[in-house]
Amino acid sequence: QQQVKQSPQSLIVQKGGISIINCAYENTAFDYFPWYQQFPGKGPALLIAIRPDVSEKKEGRFTISFNKSAKQFSLHIMDSQPGDSATYFCAASSKTSYDKVIFGPGTSLSVIP
Amino acid sequence: DAGVIQSPRHEVTEMGQEVTLRCKPISGHDYLFWYRQTMMRGLELLIYFNNNVPIDDSGMPEDRFSAKMPNASFSTLKIQPSEPRDSAVYFCASSLLRLSYEQYFGPGTRLTVT
């Protein structure tokens, strides 16, 4: 119930293409869904986050789509660039779980020229 | 603010030795988290504190691991005795109570136990 599933495990995208990472959850008590980006040798950093009462949130080239009924959400990176190459983690948190953030297993994205 | 500060950045030790990792959270943050990251197990939450009080230590692997937060600006994660399977990158993160999902991670400590 506390798990967040994420796919694919790794992704290779051509420069300029769209990168899509999908996540799913079971616990309907989750009330915030952040995405984190991690570059090699660095700690994860918050990229974008969405609440379940919003179906889509866009920040620059990054868009989160949220499907509450299916308990799924996804990250789309438009016009992917080599600088986007990193590991991406979807996550979920809930006030009823004392604010613990549950991270997905991560997706390693490589954007090739 | 300098962000979350961790020390040391790299630690190499022999099996059986005691290891102490240190963390200074962002000033004013209410939560402090300790994570462990490996290729096999991904990012694992070990323990976290709210206002210096441990809230959930269910992720601590075994009794060899202990964590303390004696004040709002300092926390330690201790492994005694260390084992080769403890080799990983250990991250400390902090956040505000009202934005608990927005965690700020430190640069991590890469621990190698030989």
Side-chain angles (χ1 to χ4, degrees), chain A residues 23-62:
Chain A
C23 290
Y25 64 97
E26 288 294 326
N27 188 352
T28 55
F30 287 139
D31 54 16
Y32 234 108
F33 298 87
W35 285 85
Y36 282 78
Q37 179 188 54
Q38 183 180 26
F39 292 106
K42 305 289 186 182
L46 180 68
L47 181 65
I48 187 173
I50 196 169
R51 296 184 63 90
D53 54 351
V54 176
S55 61
E56 186 175 282
K57 183 173 181 179
K58 185 175 180 179
E59 287 187 4
R61 296 183 293 107
F62 299 88

Coordinates of all heavy atoms in Angstrom, one line a residue, chain A residues 23-62:
Chain A
C23 N 4.2 6.5 -13.3 CA 4.1 6.0 -11.9 C 2.7 5.7 -11.5 O 1.8 6.2 -12.1 CB 4.7 7.1 -11.0 SG 6.5 7.3 -11.2
A24 N 2.6 4.8 -10.5 CA 1.3 4.3 -10.0 C 1.4 4.1 -8.5 O 2.5 3.8 -8.0 CB 0.9 3.0 -10.7
Y25 N 0.3 4.3 -7.9 CA 0.3 4.1 -6.4 C -1.0 3.5 -6.0 O -2.0 3.3 -6.8 CB 0.4 5.5 -5.7 CG -0.8 6.4 -6.0 CD1 -1.8 6.6 -5.1 CD2 -0.8 7.2 -7.2 CE1 -2.9 7.4 -5.4 CE2 -1.9 8.0 -7.5 CZ -2.9 8.1 -6.6 OH -4.0 9.0 -6.8
E26 N -1.1 3.0 -4.7 CA -2.3 2.3 -4.2 C -2.9 3.1 -3.1 O -4.2 3.1 -3.0 CB -1.9 0.9 -3.7 CG -1.5 -0.1 -4.8 CD -2.7 -0.4 -5.7 OE1 -3.9 -0.4 -5.1 OE2 -2.6 -0.6 -6.9
N27 N -2.1 3.7 -2.3 CA -2.7 4.4 -1.1 C -3.4 5.7 -1.5 O -2.8 6.7 -1.9 CB -1.5 4.7 -0.2 CG -2.0 5.2 1.2 OD1 -3.2 5.5 1.4 ND2 -1.1 5.3 2.1
T28 N -4.7 5.7 -1.3 CA -5.5 6.9 -1.7 C -5.3 8.0 -0.7 O -5.8 9.1 -0.9 CB -7.0 6.5 -1.8 OG1 -7.4 5.9 -0.5 CG2 -7.2 5.5 -2.9
A29 N -4.6 7.8 0.4 CA -4.4 8.8 1.4 C -3.2 9.8 0.9 O -3.0 10.8 1.5 CB -4.0 8.2 2.7
F30 N -2.5 9.4 -0.1 CA -1.4 10.2 -0.6 C -2.0 11.6 -1.0 O -3.0 11.6 -1.7 CB -0.6 9.6 -1.7 CG 0.3 8.5 -1.3 CD1 0.4 7.3 -2.1 CD2 1.1 8.6 -0.2 CE1 1.2 6.3 -1.7 CE2 1.9 7.5 0.2 CZ 2.0 6.4 -0.6
D31 N -1.4 12.7 -0.6 CA -2.0 14.0 -1.0 C -1.0 14.9 -1.7 O -1.4 16.1 -1.9 CB -2.6 14.6 0.2 CG -1.7 14.7 1.4 OD1 -0.4 14.6 1.2 OD2 -2.1 15.0 2.5
Y32 N 0.1 14.4 -2.0 CA 1.1 15.3 -2.8 C 2.0 14.3 -3.5 O 2.4 13.3 -3.0 CB 1.9 16.2 -1.8 CG 1.8 17.6 -2.3 CD1 1.0 18.5 -1.5 CD2 2.4 18.0 -3.5 CE1 0.9 19.8 -2.0 CE2 2.3 19.3 -3.9 CZ 1.5 20.2 -3.1 OH 1.4 21.5 -3.5
F33 N 2.3 14.7 -4.8 CA 3.1 13.9 -5.6 C 4.2 14.7 -6.3 O 4.0 15.3 -7.3 CB 2.2 13.2 -6.7 CG 1.1 12.4 -6.2 CD1 -0.1 12.9 -5.8 CD2 1.3 11.0 -6.0 CE1 -1.1 12.2 -5.2 CE2 0.3 10.2 -5.5 CZ -0.9 10.8 -5.1
P34 N 5.4 14.6 -5.6 CA 6.5 15.4 -6.2 C 7.4 14.5 -7.1 O 7.3 13.3 -7.0 CB 7.3 15.7 -4.9 CG 7.0 14.6 -3.9 CD 5.6 14.1 -4.3
W35 N 8.1 15.1 -7.9 CA 9.1 14.5 -8.8 C 10.5 15.1 -8.4 O 10.6 16.3 -8.3 CB 8.8 14.7 -10.3 CG 7.7 13.9 -10.8 CD1 6.4 14.2 -10.8 CD2 7.8 12.7 -11.5 NE1 5.6 13.3 -11.4 CE2 6.5 12.3 -11.8 CE3 8.8 11.9 -11.9 CZ2 6.2 11.1 -12.5 CZ3 8.6 10.7 -12.6 CH2 7.3 10.3 -12.9
Y36 N 11.4 14.2 -8.3 CA 12.8 14.6 -8.0 C 13.7 14.2 -9.2 O 13.5 13.2 -9.8 CB 13.3 14.0 -6.7 CG 12.8 14.6 -5.4 CD1 11.5 14.4 -5.0 CD2 13.5 15.5 -4.7 CE1 11.0 15.0 -3.9 CE2 13.1 16.1 -3.6 CZ 11.8 15.8 -3.2 OH 11.3 16.4 -2.0
Q37 N 14.7 15.1 -9.3 CA 15.7 14.9 -10.4 C 17.1 14.7 -9.7 O 17.4 15.5 -8.8 CB 15.7 16.1 -11.3 CG 16.7 16.1 -12.4 CD 16.7 17.4 -13.2 OE1 16.9 18.5 -12.6 NE2 16.5 17.4 -14.5
Q38 N 17.9 13.7 -10.1 CA 19.2 13.5 -9.5 C 20.2 13.4 -10.6 O 20.2 12.5 -11.4 CB 19.2 12.3 -8.6 CG 20.5 12.0 -7.9 CD 20.5 10.8 -7.0 OE1 19.7 9.9 -7.2 NE2 21.3 10.8 -6.0
F39 N 21.2 14.3 -10.5 CA 22.4 14.2 -11.4 C 23.5 13.3 -10.7 O 23.5 13.3 -9.5 CB 22.9 15.5 -11.8 CG 21.9 16.3 -12.6 CD1 21.2 17.4 -12.1 CD2 21.8 16.0 -14.0 CE1 20.3 18.1 -12.9 CE2 20.9 16.8 -14.8 CZ 20.2 17.8 -14.2
P40 N 24.3 12.7 -11.5 CA 25.4 11.8 -10.9 C 26.2 12.6 -9.9 O 26.6 13.7 -10.2 CB 26.2 11.4 -12.2 CG 25.2 11.5 -13.3 CD 24.3 12.6 -13.0
G41 N 26.4 12.0 -8.8 CA 27.2 12.6 -7.8 C 26.6 13.7 -6.9 O 27.2 14.3 -6.1
K42 N 25.3 13.9 -7.2 CA 24.5 14.9 -6.4 C 23.3 14.2 -5.7 O 22.9 13.1 -6.0 CB 24.0 15.9 -7.4 CG 25.0 16.6 -8.3 CD 25.9 17.5 -7.5 CE 26.8 18.3 -8.4 NZ 27.8 19.2 -7.6
G43 N 22.8 15.0 -4.7 CA 21.6 14.5 -4.1 C 20.4 14.9 -5.0 O 20.4 15.7 -5.8
P44 N 19.3 14.1 -4.8 CA 18.0 14.5 -5.5 C 17.6 15.9 -5.2 O 17.8 16.4 -4.1 CB 17.0 13.4 -5.0 CG 17.9 12.3 -4.4 CD 19.1 13.0 -3.9
A45 N 16.9 16.5 -6.2 CA 16.4 17.8 -6.0 C 14.9 17.9 -6.5 O 14.7 17.3 -7.6 CB 17.2 18.9 -6.7
L46 N 14.1 18.6 -5.8 CA 12.7 18.7 -6.3 C 12.6 19.4 -7.6 O 13.1 20.4 -7.8 CB 11.9 19.5 -5.2 CG 10.4 19.6 -5.6 CD1 9.7 18.3 -5.5 CD2 9.7 20.6 -4.6
L47 N 11.8 18.7 -8.5 CA 11.7 19.2 -9.9 C 10.3 19.9 -10.0 O 10.2 21.1 -10.5 CB 11.8 18.1 -10.9 CG 11.7 18.4 -12.3 CD1 12.9 19.3 -12.8 CD2 11.7 17.1 -13.2
I48 N 9.3 19.2 -9.7 CA 7.9 19.7 -9.8 C 7.0 18.8 -9.0 O 7.4 17.7 -8.7 CB 7.5 19.6 -11.3 CG1 6.1 20.3 -11.6 CG2 7.6 18.2 -11.8 CD1 5.8 20.4 -13.1
A49 N 5.9 19.4 -8.5 CA 5.0 18.6 -7.7 C 3.5 18.9 -8.0 O 3.2 20.0 -8.5 CB 5.2 18.9 -6.2
I50 N 2.6 18.0 -7.7 CA 1.2 18.2 -8.0 C 0.4 17.6 -6.9 O 0.7 16.7 -6.2 CB 0.9 17.5 -9.4 CG1 -0.4 18.0 -9.9 CG2 0.9 15.9 -9.2 CD1 -0.7 17.5 -11.4
R51 N -0.8 18.2 -6.7 CA -1.8 17.7 -5.8 C -2.8 16.9 -6.6 O -3.0 17.1 -7.8 CB -2.5 18.9 -5.1 CG -1.6 19.7 -4.2 CD -2.4 20.8 -3.5 NE -3.4 20.2 -2.6 CZ -3.2 19.9 -1.4 NH1 -2.0 20.2 -0.8 NH2 -4.1 19.4 -0.6
P52 N -3.5 15.9 -5.9 CA -4.4 15.1 -6.6 C -5.7 15.7 -7.2 O -6.4 15.1 -7.9 CB -4.8 14.0 -5.6 CG -4.5 14.6 -4.3 CD -3.4 15.6 -4.5
D53 N -6.0 17.0 -6.8 CA -7.1 17.7 -7.3 C -6.8 18.5 -8.6 O -7.7 19.2 -9.1 CB -7.7 18.6 -6.2 CG -6.7 19.6 -5.7 OD1 -5.5 19.4 -6.0 OD2 -7.1 20.5 -4.9
V54 N -5.6 18.3 -9.1 CA -5.2 19.0 -10.3 C -4.8 17.9 -11.3 O -4.1 16.9 -11.0 CB -4.0 19.9 -10.0 CG1 -3.4 20.5 -11.3 CG2 -4.3 20.9 -9.0
S55 N -5.3 18.0 -12.5 CA -5.1 16.9 -13.5 C -3.7 17.1 -14.3 O -3.2 16.2 -14.9 CB -6.2 16.9 -14.5 OG -6.3 18.1 -15.2
E56 N -3.3 18.4 -14.3 CA -2.0 18.6 -15.1 C -1.3 19.9 -14.5 O -2.0 20.8 -14.1 CB -2.3 18.8 -16.5 CG -1.1 19.0 -17.4 CD -1.5 19.1 -18.9 OE1 -1.7 18.0 -19.5 OE2 -1.4 20.2 -19.4
K57 N 0.0 19.8 -14.5 CA 0.8 21.0 -14.1 C 2.0 21.1 -15.0 O 2.7 20.1 -15.2 CB 1.2 20.8 -12.6 CG 2.0 22.0 -12.1 CD 2.2 21.9 -10.6 CE 3.0 23.2 -10.1 NZ 3.2 23.1 -8.6
K58 N 2.2 22.3 -15.5 CA 3.3 22.5 -16.4 C 4.3 23.5 -15.9 O 3.9 24.6 -15.4 CB 2.8 22.9 -17.7 CG 3.8 23.0 -18.9 CD 3.1 23.4 -20.2 CE 4.1 23.5 -21.3 NZ 3.5 23.8 -22.6
E59 N 5.6 23.2 -16.0 CA 6.6 24.1 -15.6 C 7.7 24.1 -16.7 O 8.5 23.1 -16.7 CB 7.2 23.9 -14.2 CG 6.3 24.2 -13.1 CD 6.9 24.1 -11.7 OE1 8.1 23.8 -11.6 OE2 6.2 24.3 -10.7
G60 N 7.7 25.0 -17.6 CA 8.6 25.0 -18.7 C 8.4 23.8 -19.6 O 7.3 23.5 -20.0
R61 N 9.5 23.0 -19.7 CA 9.4 21.8 -20.6 C 8.9 20.6 -19.8 O 8.7 19.5 -20.4 CB 10.7 21.5 -21.2 CG 11.3 22.6 -22.1 CD 12.6 22.2 -22.8 NE 13.7 22.2 -21.8 CZ 14.2 21.0 -21.4 NH1 13.8 19.8 -21.9 NH2 15.2 21.0 -20.6
F62 N 8.6 20.7 -18.5 CA 8.2 19.6 -17.7 C 6.7 19.7 -17.4 O 6.3 20.7 -16.9 CB 9.0 19.6 -16.4 CG 10.5 19.5 -16.6 CD1 11.3 20.6 -16.8 CD2 11.1 18.2 -16.6 CE1 12.7 20.4 -17.0 CE2 12.5 18.0 -16.8 CZ 13.3 19.2 -17.0

